[in-house]
């Protein structure tokens, strides 16, 4: 379910017309899960796409908040 959520989120952000016939493959390896890995994954993918020069409609930013 999380993989589908990631795919949907980034498919809606990437401008397909400007990226031609390119294939964008995203692989993430979570080394340690302290409870906020999903937010870290979203942020890491966004930064990697920006660094690679992939045209996007907007930036996806995620945060995790806990309350005791």
């Amino acid at each position: 379910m999380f993989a589908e959520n990631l795919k949907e989120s980034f498919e809606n952000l990437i401008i397909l017309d400007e990226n031609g016939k390119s294939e964008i493959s995203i692989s993430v390896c979570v080394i340690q899960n302290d409870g906020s890995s999903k937010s870290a994954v979203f942020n890491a993918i966004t930064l990697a796409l920006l660094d690679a020069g992939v045209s996007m409609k907007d930036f996806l930013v995620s945060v995790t908040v806990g309350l005791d």
Side-chain angles (χ1 to χ4, degrees):
M1 173 131 171
F2 180 60
E4 291 174 16
N5 193 1
L6 276 173
K7 183 179 177 185
E8 248 180 63
S9 298
F10 285 100
E11 279 180 346
N12 292 327
L13 285 178
I14 296 172
I15 301 173
L16 300 175
D17 297 338
E18 292 185 16
N19 292 304
K21 295 183 178 183
S22 301
E23 179 179 326
I24 299 171
S25 178
I26 299 172
S27 298
V28 179
C29 178
V30 177
I31 297 172
Q32 183 177 351
N33 185 355
D34 292 338
S36 60
S37 62
K38 290 181 181 179
S39 291
V41 167
F42 275 111
N43 293 332
I45 293 171
T46 300
L47 291 173
L49 291 171
L50 287 171
D51 188 51
V54 175
S55 301
M56 296 191 303
K57 298 174 191 172
D58 207 351
F59 307 125
L60 190 147
V61 179
S62 180
V63 64
T64 301
V65 177
L67 180 64
D68 287 333

